[in-house]
Amino acid sequence: MTSPLLPVFARAELSFEKGEGPWLYGRDGQRYLDFGAGIAVNALGHAHPHLVEALTEQASKLWHSSNLFQIPEGERLAQRLVDHTFADVVFFTNSGAEANEAAIKMARKYHHANGHPERFRIITFEGAFHGRTLATIAAGGQAKYIEGFGPKVEGFDQVPVNDLEALKAAIGPETAALMIEPIQGEGGVRSVDNAFLKQLRALCDQHGLMLIFDEIQTGVGRTGKLFAYEWTGVTPDIMAVAKGIGGGFPMGACLATREAAIGMTAGSHGTTFGGNPLAMAVGNAVLDVILAPGFLKEVERKGLLLKQRLAELKDRHSSIIAEVRGFGLMMGLRTVVPNTDFVAAARDQKMIVIGAGDNVVRLLPPLIISDEDISEAFNRLDAACAAMEAELKTKTQPGAA
Ligand SMILES: Cc1ncc(COP(=O)(O)O)c(C=O)c1O
């Protein structure tokens, strides 16, 4: 049967009917260990009781009122984000791409408000992924996402990560901002050198540029801090957040200093749904858990445990795994075999992992993952690797087709 859905996704032949913690229950009757978390979204796993309670309680009171009115739940969430970050102000969105759009618009408007409308260009980095809107595909710079959609949105220049000279050469009189993921997610769990991030900050200060961090994948506890920038000693002017902040409820946010947001006056930007009471109730509930004493320390500890186990896995299966990458509970395995084969082999062992660029497989478990489930993940991945090795052997045997 032909699906009525626009065929833009190559979907696996698998669907789920419920989830609990790090487990997904397939309609095939099988239970899957979820190390994808909906691509770093289900930060607290599935059906977390505190989130379910917050959502259902809010659902019985008020879903939506529009941004024409005060939304106290949103004021509260914004204040909590401000209290725990560099930021002074928050704009809520429905997705990551929209959070980045807000960030891009804000950076351009900052210069406009300061009498420099000619400063609109944003420097981004090779391998980046910032979303699928017209501006964010231009920011990401990947031809496969840009081609066929008309003229590329003007004003994005791209340079390699960790290449200071290329970056310096790209900064011109029209440059408004630098935009970077502290760890590239879709690009293949690729870390950016801390020293390079520091140089980015210094260049921004020197040239009066906005520094935008895209923490859509790295944020909300994923690396063991509320936001990854806290590890780096570098503070952005503007930061895009999404994915984990809603724990599965679609929402995002653009955070900024008051100075960076100077051009964003009444009427300059907007959204119908962004920051609605349902999303805000869930966002607050996510923070209740993530900001509880000790939670992030546990993420950090479990991240180290996972990294250790993955290093062991690589040692056991060097014909399958070339490299272990990542930080906290945002880990990647660069594979020797095609990463799609690895994802499929893991699925055969009833475990969900996610492909990324650079032939990497991402492991993004919910932050509530237990030590036992990390061990279980190791066993399943070990079995997946053994199955792939057996297959490689049959392929390389003399006489094999
Ligand atoms: C770093 C980063 N930026 C932006 C996006 C886009 O977010 P969304 O798909 O919610 O628009 C993603 C999604 O994968 C991402 O990982």
Side-chain angles (χ1 to χ4, degrees), residues 39 94-100 129-133 136 181 183-186 214-218 240 242-243 251 362:
I39 324 186
N94 309 291
S95 68
E98 285 171 272
N100 276 334
F129 183 79
H130 295 301
R132 297 297 200 111
T133 61
T136 54
E181 297 157 83
I183 304 170
Q184 287 188 346
E186 304 295 310
D214 177 345
E215 288 234 28
I216 286 163
Q217 196 156 148
T218 53
K243 292 190 181 274
M251 66 174 291
R362 270 176 294 176

Side-chain angles (χ1 to χ4, degrees), residues 26 60 99 154 190 193 233 327 337 345 361 371 382:
S60 66
E154 172 64 350
R190 295 199 314 164
D193 291 347
F327 209 78
V337 295
V361 173
D371 291 12
D382 193 38

Side-chain angles (χ1 to χ4, degrees), residues 216-263:
I216 286 163
Q217 196 156 148
T218 53
V220 198
R222 178 67 38 203
T223 67
K225 297 272 188 205
L226 187 56
F227 292 102
Y229 79 82
E230 295 169 51
W231 291 111
T232 69
V234 175
T235 307
D237 303 294
I238 304 172
M239 180 169 75
V241 179
K243 292 190 181 274
I245 186 72
F249 196 95
M251 66 174 291
C254 177
L255 279 60
T257 63
R258 205 168 284 286
E259 167 74 8
I262 199 148

Side-chain angles (χ1 to χ4, degrees), residues 32-54:
Y32 291 80
L33 183 53
D34 184 11
F35 267 50
I39 324 186
V41 166
N42 304 99
L44 303 182
H46 301 280
H48 190 287
H50 187 59
L51 269 55
V52 172
E53 193 191 339

Side-chain angles (χ1 to χ4, degrees), residues 71-79 90 92 275-277 280-281 284:
I71 301 175
E73 301 86 350
E75 295 274 344
R76 176 163 175 256
L77 181 55
Q79 189 60 53
V90 180
F92 289 113
N276 94 357
M280 297 299 97
N284 273 308

Side-chain angles (χ1 to χ4, degrees), residues 14 28-29 39 47 61 87 133 140 164 168 179 183 189 231 245 263 400-401:
L14 178 60
D28 57 359
I39 324 186
K61 290 197 294 196
T133 61
L164 188 63
K168 281 182 180 164
M179 180 171 181
I183 304 170
V189 193
W231 291 111
I245 186 72

